[in-house]
Amino acid sequence: MASISTRTSSMKKAASLIVRLHLPESSPYRSFFASSTDHTSLLENAVIHRIGESAYGTREYALIPADIPLELAVKDSKLKLASIHASKNILFGAKVITKSIGSMEEACSGLVNAALEDAASQGEQPQGIAALNGLCDWVSRGIEGKEDIATLEKLQEKDPETYEAVVAIATGVPRKSHTVVGMGTFRDGQYGWGELAKEFVATGLGDEVRLYQSKGGELVNIEHLADHSEDYIKSAGGAMARFFFL
């Protein structure tokens, strides 16, 4: 992605501060809709905006095609190419909205750079919370013998109770003598699920994991049941990874 100049401009809209981080004026902007198949050019010429009340408050960094009016993209998020959210020194929620433009690392690289600069502005340790989407499927493949997962094999051999719990978390199938995968299962499987999540991260799986690792992020903790939403429980058993950018 083209480098971002230090010059910025701002405007107030709906009680929020929207700051446009400009690309060089010489960039050959082309219409998003006319050149949507030219994904490399689209990324190079896109503009990063910070949307929020301040550079250290609750905010969003959005990558928007150069020819799309900011106000329109704020109203219709489908017009954004990618985005990431932040609150104080913590980054989270990286997302590629226009899937065809490339990987999360490609689409969100500049957004993370901008967010990290603001996150470090008050002297606090910049951090990132990464979703572990796909963790359940990965563990399920290990259970079926389709993935070699050292942690899973160790649990099966040395800690059958924990193994039974993580199998239930991964597959959504209750343990024997249980009718649901409830809080007791997540409690009994907490250690094992955390260790599996660490191996998932160490293996370089997960889009947001790779994004933060590409920026020097180092895993410091697995957050157990950080997200209780039904879809995320099915995808990652509720676990998220906390990174420090050192």
Side-chain angles (χ1 to χ4, degrees):
M1 181 179 294
S3 61
I4 302 171
S5 71
T6 57
R7 182 170 63 84
T8 63
S9 63
S10 62
M11 62 181 173
K12 290 186 177 180
K13 179 80 171 175
S16 293
L17 182 67
I18 303 175
V19 179
R20 175 172 177 157
L21 308 180
H22 292 278
L23 293 173
E25 295 291 348
S26 59
S27 294
Y29 293 159
R30 285 191 276 171
S31 171
F32 168 57
F33 296 106
S35 62
S36 60
T37 57
D38 189 351
H39 303 132
T40 299
S41 177
L42 186 61
L43 277 176
E44 288 177 348
N45 298 321
V47 181
I48 292 175
H49 301 264
R50 186 182 69 228
I51 305 169
E53 294 183 356
S54 75
Y56 199 67
T58 300
R59 58 202 186 276
E60 176 188 9
Y61 299 83
L63 187 66
I64 300 173
D67 292 336
I68 297 296
L70 176 58
E71 295 85 352
L72 187 59
V74 169
K75 292 178 181 178
D76 186 355
S77 62
K78 293 179 182 178
L79 296 176
K80 301 171 186 175
L81 301 176
S83 68
I84 191 169
H85 293 265
S87 180
K88 296 184 178 179
N89 60 319
I90 300 176
L91 283 59
F92 59 94
K95 183 178 182 180
V96 180
I97 297 164
T98 303
K99 305 296 184 183
S100 59
I101 62 173
S103 69
M104 184 174 287
E105 288 176 68
E106 295 169 321
C108 295
S109 177
L111 297 174
V112 174
N113 290 340
L116 285 176
E117 182 175 350
D118 290 339
S121 65
Q122 302 300 313
E124 296 292 334
Q125 172 68 60
Q127 303 179 31
I129 304 295
L132 302 178
N133 290 305
L135 175 58
C136 286
D137 284 344
W138 179 71
V139 174
S140 293
R141 291 196 300 273
I143 295 166
E144 296 168 359
K146 298 177 181 178
E147 291 277 358
D148 292 327
I149 303 175
T151 300
L152 195 63
E153 294 173 1
K154 182 178 179 180
L155 290 173
Q156 186 176 21
E157 179 183 350
K158 298 185 177 181
D159 192 347
E161 182 178 356
T162 300
Y163 176 78
E164 187 180 66
V166 300
V167 168
I169 294 170
T171 63
V173 178
R175 295 179 286 176
K176 294 179 181 178
S177 302
H178 291 71
T179 58
V180 297
V181 181
M183 292 306 298
T185 299
F186 282 93
R187 181 190 63 242
D188 294 343
Q190 180 173 353
Y191 168 76
W193 198 250
E195 292 301 300
L196 287 164
K198 289 177 184 177
E199 186 172 345
F200 184 83
V201 170
T203 307
L205 300 174
D207 291 341
E208 202 168 11
V209 167
R210 290 192 296 272
L211 172 64
Y212 292 159
Q213 289 173 334
S214 74
K215 297 299 181 180
E218 295 188 7
L219 178 69
V220 295
N221 193 44
I222 297 297
E223 310 287 335
H224 185 62
L225 287 177
D227 185 340
H228 290 76
S229 64
E230 183 177 354
D231 286 346
Y232 193 70
I233 290 290
K234 291 179 179 178
S235 180
M240 288 188 164
R242 185 180 296 271
F243 289 84
F244 279 3
F245 296 94
L246 304 175

